C-alpha cells in the first residue's frame, strides 16, 4: 500500500499516481491533497493525526515549499512503515507518533537520503522525484531499504530524540498552570469546519464540562459535544486528537474567536 498526501489540489496528484503505477502494483490510497498550501507544520500535524491509523505502508507526503532547491529527498523508516518526503521536517512528527503507537518496544526512527538524478521539472518533484522513490521503496520492501542503490542511511534516532542532520518539525509546547486554571498555547491548525485546534492538552479541561472559560478574553462554555450549545454559539472542547479546540456549533470557531494558525491562545477561568 502507498498512501498519498499533498497540498497539490487537482490534477497534479493524478500524475504522481500514474508514475507510481508505472513502477508498482501497489494499492494507492489518497489521504488528502488539500493540505494547507506550503505549510509544512500543518501537513506534519494532519499526517501525524492520520497516518498512524493505517496498516504498514509507504506514505508519500509532498508539501514542498523548497521544491527546486538543494533540499534532500528523505525516506524515514519506523517499524513496518516508511515515509517518503522532502527533508523539511514533515516526516519526523509522523514517525514519532507511529513509533509511539507500536505495542511492543517503540522502534527507532531511521532516516535515509534518497539520491535522484536531475528531474524533468524543477517545480514538480512530487511527480519526478518522490513518486518514483515511493514506488521503489514499496517494491524493495520497507525492511529492505538498504538494498536500493539510491538509499543511504543518515542516522537512527530513538523516537523522542532529535536528529542532527535532517530537518525536524517540533510543535511548540504550551504552558499549563492547573492550579491557577490557566494555559498559554498556540493555534496549530484550523480545520475545514473552522475549528481552531490548539496545542493545549485536553487534560486541561478534565472535569470542567459546563464551566465557562475565557479564550483571549472571549467567554465560552466547556462542552463534550457540539450540540451541548445552540447552533451559532461558541464552545471550547477536546477534539479527537486530544487537544483543546475553540469551536462554534454549526459555525466557524476561528471567526468567532478571532483566531488563526500561529496565534497565541490564553485559556483562563
Amino acid at each position: 500500500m502507498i498512501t498519498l498526501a499533498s497540498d497539490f489540489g487537482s490534477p497534479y496528484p493524478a500524475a504522481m499516481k500514474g508514475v507510481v503505477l508505472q513502477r508498482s502494483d501497489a494499492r494507492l490510497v489518497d489521504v488528502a491533497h488539500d493540505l494547507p498550501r506550503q505549510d509544512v507544520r500543518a501537513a506534519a500535524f494532519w499526517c501525524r493525526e492520520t497516518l498512524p491509523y493505517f496498516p504498514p505502508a509507504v506514505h508519500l507526503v509532498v508539501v514542498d515549499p523548497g521544491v527546486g532547491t538543494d533540499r534532500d529527498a528523505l525516506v524515514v523508516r519506523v517499524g513496518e512503515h516508511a515515509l517518503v518526503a522532502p527533508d523539511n521536517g514533515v516526516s519526523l512528527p509522523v514517525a514519532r507518533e507511529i513509533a509511539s503507537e507500536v505495542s511492543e518496544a517503540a522502534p527507532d526512527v531511521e532516516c535515509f537520503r534518497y539520491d535522484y538524478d536531475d528531474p524533468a521539472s524543477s517545480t514538480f518533484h512530487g511527480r519526478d522525484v518522490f513518486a518514483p522513490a515511493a514506488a521503489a521503496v514499496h517494491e524493495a520492501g520497507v525492511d529492505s531499504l538498504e538494498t536500493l542503490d539510491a538509499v543511504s542511511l543518515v542516522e537512527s534516532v530513538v523516537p523522542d530524540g532529535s536528529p542532527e542532520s535532517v530537518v525536524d518539525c517540533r510543535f511548540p509546547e504550551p504552558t499549563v498552570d492547573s492550579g491557577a486554571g490557566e494555559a498559554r498555547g498556540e493555534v496549530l491548525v484550523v480545520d475545514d469546519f473552522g475549528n481552531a485546534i490548539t496545542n493545549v492538552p485536553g487534560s486541561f479541561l478534565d472535569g470542567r464540562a459546563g464551566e465557562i472559560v475565557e479564550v483571549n478574553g472571549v467567554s465560552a462554555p466547556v462542552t463534550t459535544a457540539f450540540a451541548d450549545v445552540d447552533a451559532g454559539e461558541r464552545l471550547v472542547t477536546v477534539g479527537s486528537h486530544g487537544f483543546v479546540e475553540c469551536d462554534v456549533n454549526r459555525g466557524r470557531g476561528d471567526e468567532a474567536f478571532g483566531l488563526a494558525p500561529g496565534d497565541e491562545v490564553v485559556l483562563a477561568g
Side-chain angles (χ1 to χ4, degrees):
M1 179 188 298
I2 297 176
T3 72
L4 300 95
S6 76
D7 59 351
F8 290 162
S10 176
Y12 298 110
M16 291 199 300
K17 292 180 184 179
V19 168
V20 170
L21 292 173
Q22 288 185 48
R23 294 165 168 80
S24 168
D25 61 356
R27 177 186 177 191
L28 303 184
V29 178
D30 289 306
V31 175
H33 294 294
D34 57 354
L35 294 171
R37 297 290 171 86
Q38 302 183 342
D39 189 335
V40 171
R41 189 174 81 164
F45 177 86
W46 289 120
C47 289
R48 185 187 72 174
E49 298 304 317
T50 305
L51 297 183
Y53 289 98
F54 279 87
V58 175
H59 306 289
L60 174 57
V61 182
V62 189
V63 174
D64 191 16
V67 63
T69 69
D70 60 358
R71 62 93 189 88
D72 288 322
L74 201 65
V75 182
V76 177
R77 179 168 64 189
V78 53
E80 298 180 277
H81 294 259
L83 296 110
V84 178
D87 183 13
N88 60 14
V90 71
S91 298
L92 289 171
V94 188
R96 285 191 289 266
E97 186 67 18
I98 291 173
S100 73
E101 294 292 328
V102 176
S103 57
E104 61 269 18
D108 286 348
V109 175
E110 299 171 287
C111 302
F112 299 81
R113 303 283 184 210
Y114 190 92
D115 295 327
Y116 55 91
D117 297 327
D118 290 337
S121 168
S122 63
T123 61
F124 197 3
H125 285 187
R127 178 194 67 193
D128 298 337
V129 175
F130 297 106
V137 171
H138 180 272
E139 291 306 289
V142 172
D143 291 339
S144 301
L145 275 178
E146 294 86 349
T147 65
L148 294 173
D149 291 338
V151 163
S152 57
L153 180 67
V154 179
E155 61 182 309
S156 180
V157 296
V158 296
D160 291 332
S162 294
E164 296 181 355
S165 55
V166 299
V167 180
D168 193 3
C169 176
R170 289 280 183 173
F171 299 104
E173 293 290 336
T175 301
V176 178
D177 186 341
S178 298
E182 181 176 289
R184 291 179 176 268
E186 183 176 314
V187 177
L188 294 178
V189 293
V190 174
D191 68 17
D192 286 350
F193 292 98
N195 301 322
I197 301 167
T198 77
N199 64 341
V200 176
S203 58
F204 176 71
L205 298 181
D206 284 353
R208 303 185 66 178
E211 294 183 15
I212 301 297
V213 298
E214 290 191 348
V215 181
N216 295 355
V218 177
S219 297
V222 177
T223 75
T224 57
F226 291 96
D228 289 342
V229 299
D230 293 336
E233 295 296 318
R234 297 184 184 92
L235 63 107
V236 176
T237 193
V238 181
S240 60
H241 35 67
F243 297 102
V244 173
E245 292 185 359
C246 303
D247 305 336
V248 167
N249 182 21
R250 303 187 190 182
R252 295 194 63 90
D254 57 340
E255 295 175 356
F257 286 91
L259 294 173
D263 285 353
E264 182 184 34
V265 174
V266 179
L267 299 170

